[in-house]
Amino acid sequence: MSKPILCIGTYAKTPFHIEKVGKNVYCIEELCYILVNNAFLLDEDSFGNDLFDWIEKECSLERLSDELRSMYMKKCSIASLAGTILDYVGYNSKKEVDRTEEILRANAGMDVYRKKMARADYLLKNNRYSMAFKEYEFLLNNTDELDKKTKAKIEHNEGVMYARLFLFERAADMFLKAYRDGGDEASLIQYLGAVRMNLSDKEYVSFVADNEDMYEASMVLEKRVNELEELFGSSKSNLAVGTLSVYKAEGKMGEYYDVVGKITDELKTEYRDLVKSKVG
């Protein structure tokens, strides 16, 4: 059994918005959670008088806010500022505090370009597509001497996000740009995959026939598709769909709707769990 955590301060009437993370926090413990779990996204702009005023007025932690203001005036690092907050509150373990400070120190040594690239990759990995798009687009539009390999990586990652959002036409455009700029076969295969999802089988076959230079990549894609179909064929989801077909064909509508209800409940549960995992 874990030891109880004693909360300090008061619960804020007005939340503090952490722009780099896109989250609101309502108490000092929530702030600590954000600092530890999103350290990679934070920079100097995340710590300033707005935060210190919120800690004083909304959380009733005047002593902590005074200490932070004093450190800020002395131009202490963001790692030191975050460490002071975490140590004062005592919400996180020493290991978590040390790791957070280490990440923030490493971030401070990066130039703006590398920070934004690292932040965008982190956001993509954690399915925060809107924020990731902003970081990638900033790099594409504001970096004069972006080498083709890096540009191709950004374009490929934007293609991945579009595909996950089922925007296959846009995904195909980005994967093709990535392939032309970087020459990576992975981008070409993803391009064909996005095209395949956006066309009928007949249209896709015609497309491949008209683009003979993509034939080998199309064979790699088809192999992967076949492997996925085999996996789905033996999956629980496919068995449930097969059961539904049998019940409907035999007119067993009571059993049919029972299975539909169970599948729907499972999907609702999965969705709720997904939403919970994205909060905070």
Side-chain angles (χ1 to χ4, degrees), residues 243-269:
T243 301
L244 282 175
S245 299
V246 172
Y247 282 152
K248 190 172 183 180
E250 295 179 352
K252 297 180 178 179
M253 301 313 292
E255 291 87 343
Y256 174 85
Y257 286 115
D258 283 343
V259 174
V260 169
K262 288 177 182 178
I263 293 174
T264 303
D265 288 341
E266 289 174 2
L267 289 172
K268 286 180 180 178
T269 301

mmCIF file of all heavy atoms in Angstrom, residues 243-269:
data_model
loop_
_atom_site.group_PDB
_atom_site.id
_atom_site.type_symbol
_atom_site.label_atom_id
_atom_site.label_comp_id
_atom_site.label_asym_id
_atom_site.label_seq_id
_atom_site.Cartn_x
_atom_site.Cartn_y
_atom_site.Cartn_z
ATOM 1 N N THR A 243 -19.914 -14.278 -35.736
ATOM 2 C CA THR A 243 -21.071 -14.729 -34.958
ATOM 3 C C THR A 243 -22.305 -13.906 -35.297
ATOM 4 O O THR A 243 -23.414 -14.439 -35.445
ATOM 5 C CB THR A 243 -20.772 -14.614 -33.448
ATOM 6 O OG1 THR A 243 -19.627 -15.400 -33.139
ATOM 7 C CG2 THR A 243 -21.958 -15.087 -32.618
ATOM 8 N N LEU A 244 -22.120 -12.586 -35.443
ATOM 9 C CA LEU A 244 -23.232 -11.717 -35.822
ATOM 10 C C LEU A 244 -23.827 -12.131 -37.166
ATOM 11 O O LEU A 244 -25.050 -12.174 -37.342
ATOM 12 C CB LEU A 244 -22.754 -10.261 -35.907
ATOM 13 C CG LEU A 244 -22.565 -9.507 -34.583
ATOM 14 C CD1 LEU A 244 -21.971 -8.129 -34.860
ATOM 15 C CD2 LEU A 244 -23.881 -9.373 -33.836
ATOM 16 N N SER A 245 -22.969 -12.437 -38.125
ATOM 17 C CA SER A 245 -23.431 -12.824 -39.465
ATOM 18 C C SER A 245 -24.288 -14.088 -39.404
ATOM 19 O O SER A 245 -25.328 -14.188 -40.068
ATOM 20 C CB SER A 245 -22.229 -13.042 -40.390
ATOM 21 O OG SER A 245 -21.478 -11.863 -40.510
ATOM 22 N N VAL A 246 -23.846 -15.052 -38.597
ATOM 23 C CA VAL A 246 -24.585 -16.315 -38.469
ATOM 24 C C VAL A 246 -25.948 -16.076 -37.840
ATOM 25 O O VAL A 246 -26.986 -16.572 -38.331
ATOM 26 C CB VAL A 246 -23.775 -17.335 -37.636
ATOM 27 C CG1 VAL A 246 -24.632 -18.564 -37.335
ATOM 28 C CG2 VAL A 246 -22.513 -17.742 -38.384
ATOM 29 N N TYR A 247 -25.973 -15.328 -36.738
ATOM 30 C CA TYR A 247 -27.238 -15.058 -36.048
ATOM 31 C C TYR A 247 -28.225 -14.337 -36.967
ATOM 32 O O TYR A 247 -29.425 -14.656 -37.005
ATOM 33 C CB TYR A 247 -27.002 -14.207 -34.795
ATOM 34 C CG TYR A 247 -26.455 -14.987 -33.613
ATOM 35 C CD1 TYR A 247 -25.656 -14.365 -32.652
ATOM 36 C CD2 TYR A 247 -26.757 -16.337 -33.446
ATOM 37 C CE1 TYR A 247 -25.162 -15.071 -31.565
ATOM 38 C CE2 TYR A 247 -26.260 -17.039 -32.364
ATOM 39 C CZ TYR A 247 -25.460 -16.412 -31.426
ATOM 40 O OH TYR A 247 -24.976 -17.110 -30.360
ATOM 41 N N LYS A 248 -27.723 -13.355 -37.728
ATOM 42 C CA LYS A 248 -28.607 -12.598 -38.612
ATOM 43 C C LYS A 248 -29.147 -13.478 -39.730
ATOM 44 O O LYS A 248 -30.334 -13.421 -40.081
ATOM 45 C CB LYS A 248 -27.844 -11.401 -39.202
ATOM 46 C CG LYS A 248 -28.757 -10.425 -39.948
ATOM 47 C CD LYS A 248 -27.996 -9.163 -40.344
ATOM 48 C CE LYS A 248 -28.944 -8.180 -41.014
ATOM 49 N NZ LYS A 248 -28.237 -6.931 -41.424
ATOM 50 N N ALA A 249 -28.268 -14.326 -40.293
ATOM 51 C CA ALA A 249 -28.684 -15.219 -41.380
ATOM 52 C C ALA A 249 -29.736 -16.216 -40.911
ATOM 53 O O ALA A 249 -30.642 -16.590 -41.667
ATOM 54 C CB ALA A 249 -27.471 -15.943 -41.949
ATOM 55 N N GLU A 250 -29.637 -16.658 -39.647
ATOM 56 C CA GLU A 250 -30.574 -17.646 -39.102
ATOM 57 C C GLU A 250 -31.797 -16.996 -38.468
ATOM 58 O O GLU A 250 -32.664 -17.695 -37.934
ATOM 59 C CB GLU A 250 -29.857 -18.527 -38.080
ATOM 60 C CG GLU A 250 -28.751 -19.385 -38.706
ATOM 61 C CD GLU A 250 -28.027 -20.229 -37.673
ATOM 62 O OE1 GLU A 250 -28.295 -20.029 -36.454
ATOM 63 O OE2 GLU A 250 -27.207 -21.079 -38.060
ATOM 64 N N GLY A 251 -31.850 -15.671 -38.490
ATOM 65 C CA GLY A 251 -33.005 -14.981 -37.934
ATOM 66 C C GLY A 251 -33.044 -14.949 -36.422
ATOM 67 O O GLY A 251 -34.096 -14.667 -35.830
ATOM 68 N N LYS A 252 -31.916 -15.216 -35.784
ATOM 69 C CA LYS A 252 -31.873 -15.200 -34.316
ATOM 70 C C LYS A 252 -31.573 -13.767 -33.855
ATOM 71 O O LYS A 252 -30.467 -13.439 -33.413
ATOM 72 C CB LYS A 252 -30.801 -16.160 -33.814
ATOM 73 C CG LYS A 252 -31.072 -17.618 -34.176
ATOM 74 C CD LYS A 252 -29.962 -18.520 -33.654
ATOM 75 C CE LYS A 252 -30.239 -19.995 -33.972
ATOM 76 N NZ LYS A 252 -29.158 -20.884 -33.491
ATOM 77 N N MET A 253 -32.579 -12.921 -33.959
ATOM 78 C CA MET A 253 -32.367 -11.495 -33.729
ATOM 79 C C MET A 253 -32.121 -11.162 -32.258
ATOM 80 O O MET A 253 -31.410 -10.200 -31.951
ATOM 81 C CB MET A 253 -33.553 -10.690 -34.254
ATOM 82 C CG MET A 253 -33.805 -10.897 -35.755
ATOM 83 S SD MET A 253 -32.297 -10.786 -36.758
ATOM 84 C CE MET A 253 -31.898 -9.057 -36.577
ATOM 85 N N GLY A 254 -32.671 -11.966 -31.352
ATOM 86 C CA GLY A 254 -32.421 -11.741 -29.922
ATOM 87 C C GLY A 254 -30.943 -11.913 -29.616
ATOM 88 O O GLY A 254 -30.316 -11.066 -28.975
ATOM 89 N N GLU A 255 -30.390 -13.050 -30.091
ATOM 90 C CA GLU A 255 -28.968 -13.322 -29.881
ATOM 91 C C GLU A 255 -28.115 -12.297 -30.615
ATOM 92 O O GLU A 255 -27.064 -11.864 -30.123
ATOM 93 C CB GLU A 255 -28.612 -14.730 -30.366
ATOM 94 C CG GLU A 255 -29.204 -15.851 -29.538
ATOM 95 C CD GLU A 255 -30.607 -16.244 -29.997
ATOM 96 O OE1 GLU A 255 -31.232 -15.430 -30.732
ATOM 97 O OE2 GLU A 255 -31.079 -17.329 -29.615
ATOM 98 N N TYR A 256 -28.586 -11.902 -31.822
ATOM 99 C CA TYR A 256 -27.861 -10.918 -32.635
ATOM 100 C C TYR A 256 -27.697 -9.608 -31.863
ATOM 101 O O TYR A 256 -26.588 -9.058 -31.761
ATOM 102 C CB TYR A 256 -28.635 -10.679 -33.938
ATOM 103 C CG TYR A 256 -28.067 -9.581 -34.816
ATOM 104 C CD1 TYR A 256 -27.042 -9.844 -35.719
ATOM 105 C CD2 TYR A 256 -28.585 -8.277 -34.750
ATOM 106 C CE1 TYR A 256 -26.530 -8.838 -36.535
ATOM 107 C CE2 TYR A 256 -28.078 -7.270 -35.561
ATOM 108 C CZ TYR A 256 -27.060 -7.553 -36.454
ATOM 109 O OH TYR A 256 -26.548 -6.564 -37.250
ATOM 110 N N TYR A 257 -28.783 -9.095 -31.286
ATOM 111 C CA TYR A 257 -28.714 -7.819 -30.584
ATOM 112 C C TYR A 257 -27.969 -7.939 -29.255
ATOM 113 O O TYR A 257 -27.377 -6.957 -28.779
ATOM 114 C CB TYR A 257 -30.121 -7.256 -30.381
ATOM 115 C CG TYR A 257 -30.715 -6.696 -31.653
ATOM 116 C CD1 TYR A 257 -31.833 -7.275 -32.239
ATOM 117 C CD2 TYR A 257 -30.126 -5.603 -32.284
ATOM 118 C CE1 TYR A 257 -32.368 -6.776 -33.425
ATOM 119 C CE2 TYR A 257 -30.653 -5.091 -33.468
ATOM 120 C CZ TYR A 257 -31.771 -5.687 -34.037
ATOM 121 O OH TYR A 257 -32.277 -5.189 -35.203
ATOM 122 N N ASP A 258 -27.974 -9.140 -28.649
ATOM 123 C CA ASP A 258 -27.177 -9.355 -27.436
ATOM 124 C C ASP A 258 -25.688 -9.167 -27.734
ATOM 125 O O ASP A 258 -24.961 -8.505 -26.985
ATOM 126 C CB ASP A 258 -27.409 -10.759 -26.866
ATOM 127 C CG ASP A 258 -28.728 -10.859 -26.120
ATOM 128 O OD1 ASP A 258 -29.294 -9.795 -25.772
ATOM 129 O OD2 ASP A 258 -29.203 -11.994 -25.893
ATOM 130 N N VAL A 259 -25.243 -9.773 -28.859
ATOM 131 C CA VAL A 259 -23.834 -9.662 -29.232
ATOM 132 C C VAL A 259 -23.496 -8.215 -29.609
ATOM 133 O O VAL A 259 -22.449 -7.688 -29.238
ATOM 134 C CB VAL A 259 -23.491 -10.615 -30.405
ATOM 135 C CG1 VAL A 259 -22.053 -10.387 -30.881
ATOM 136 C CG2 VAL A 259 -23.689 -12.059 -29.989
ATOM 137 N N VAL A 260 -24.411 -7.560 -30.368
ATOM 138 C CA VAL A 260 -24.201 -6.153 -30.725
ATOM 139 C C VAL A 260 -24.047 -5.309 -29.460
ATOM 140 O O VAL A 260 -23.163 -4.441 -29.369
ATOM 141 C CB VAL A 260 -25.367 -5.623 -31.579
ATOM 142 C CG1 VAL A 260 -25.281 -4.099 -31.714
ATOM 143 C CG2 VAL A 260 -25.355 -6.257 -32.965
ATOM 144 N N GLY A 261 -24.890 -5.575 -28.466
ATOM 145 C CA GLY A 261 -24.825 -4.829 -27.212
ATOM 146 C C GLY A 261 -23.501 -5.019 -26.496
ATOM 147 O O GLY A 261 -22.913 -4.063 -25.984
ATOM 148 N N LYS A 262 -23.022 -6.282 -26.489
ATOM 149 C CA LYS A 262 -21.748 -6.567 -25.811
ATOM 150 C C LYS A 262 -20.585 -5.869 -26.514
ATOM 151 O O LYS A 262 -19.702 -5.298 -25.870
ATOM 152 C CB LYS A 262 -21.506 -8.073 -25.765
ATOM 153 C CG LYS A 262 -22.419 -8.816 -24.793
ATOM 154 C CD LYS A 262 -22.165 -10.315 -24.845
ATOM 155 C CE LYS A 262 -23.120 -11.056 -23.900
ATOM 156 N NZ LYS A 262 -22.929 -12.528 -23.977
ATOM 157 N N ILE A 263 -20.595 -5.950 -27.853
ATOM 158 C CA ILE A 263 -19.524 -5.291 -28.621
ATOM 159 C C ILE A 263 -19.554 -3.786 -28.388
ATOM 160 O O ILE A 263 -18.517 -3.148 -28.189
ATOM 161 C CB ILE A 263 -19.668 -5.589 -30.129
ATOM 162 C CG1 ILE A 263 -19.422 -7.078 -30.406
ATOM 163 C CG2 ILE A 263 -18.692 -4.738 -30.941
ATOM 164 C CD1 ILE A 263 -19.677 -7.484 -31.843
ATOM 165 N N THR A 264 -20.767 -3.206 -28.376
ATOM 166 C CA THR A 264 -20.915 -1.766 -28.162
ATOM 167 C C THR A 264 -20.406 -1.364 -26.784
ATOM 168 O O THR A 264 -19.696 -0.364 -26.634
ATOM 169 C CB THR A 264 -22.387 -1.341 -28.309
ATOM 170 O OG1 THR A 264 -22.861 -1.723 -29.603
ATOM 171 C CG2 THR A 264 -22.534 0.163 -28.149
ATOM 172 N N ASP A 265 -20.756 -2.152 -25.755
ATOM 173 C CA ASP A 265 -20.299 -1.861 -24.395
ATOM 174 C C ASP A 265 -18.778 -1.919 -24.303
ATOM 175 O O ASP A 265 -18.144 -1.092 -23.636
ATOM 176 C CB ASP A 265 -20.918 -2.844 -23.397
ATOM 177 C CG ASP A 265 -22.403 -2.579 -23.176
ATOM 178 O OD1 ASP A 265 -22.850 -1.461 -23.490
ATOM 179 O OD2 ASP A 265 -23.100 -3.493 -22.703
ATOM 180 N N GLU A 266 -18.184 -2.925 -24.973
ATOM 181 C CA GLU A 266 -16.733 -3.046 -24.960
ATOM 182 C C GLU A 266 -16.069 -1.851 -25.630
ATOM 183 O O GLU A 266 -15.062 -1.327 -25.148
ATOM 184 C CB GLU A 266 -16.301 -4.346 -25.660
ATOM 185 C CG GLU A 266 -16.624 -5.605 -24.855
ATOM 186 C CD GLU A 266 -16.309 -6.876 -25.634
ATOM 187 O OE1 GLU A 266 -15.816 -6.764 -26.782
ATOM 188 O OE2 GLU A 266 -16.543 -7.968 -25.088
ATOM 189 N N LEU A 267 -16.657 -1.413 -26.767
ATOM 190 C CA LEU A 267 -16.108 -0.266 -27.473
ATOM 191 C C LEU A 267 -16.234 1.013 -26.640
ATOM 192 O O LEU A 267 -15.330 1.846 -26.617
ATOM 193 C CB LEU A 267 -16.814 -0.077 -28.820
ATOM 194 C CG LEU A 267 -16.503 -1.124 -29.889
ATOM 195 C CD1 LEU A 267 -17.415 -0.936 -31.092
ATOM 196 C CD2 LEU A 267 -15.046 -1.044 -30.320
ATOM 197 N N LYS A 268 -17.376 1.162 -25.922
ATOM 198 C CA LYS A 268 -17.566 2.321 -25.059
ATOM 199 C C LYS A 268 -16.524 2.340 -23.936
ATOM 200 O O LYS A 268 -15.958 3.384 -23.604
ATOM 201 C CB LYS A 268 -18.976 2.314 -24.457
ATOM 202 C CG LYS A 268 -20.084 2.693 -25.440
ATOM 203 C CD LYS A 268 -21.441 2.648 -24.750
ATOM 204 C CE LYS A 268 -22.565 3.033 -25.705
ATOM 205 N NZ LYS A 268 -23.888 2.944 -25.052
ATOM 206 N N THR A 269 -16.290 1.151 -23.355
ATOM 207 C CA THR A 269 -15.302 1.046 -22.279
ATOM 208 C C THR A 269 -13.912 1.398 -22.784
ATOM 209 O O THR A 269 -13.154 2.133 -22.135
ATOM 210 C CB THR A 269 -15.296 -0.381 -21.685
ATOM 211 O OG1 THR A 269 -16.595 -0.680 -21.174
ATOM 212 C CG2 THR A 269 -14.268 -0.492 -20.566
#
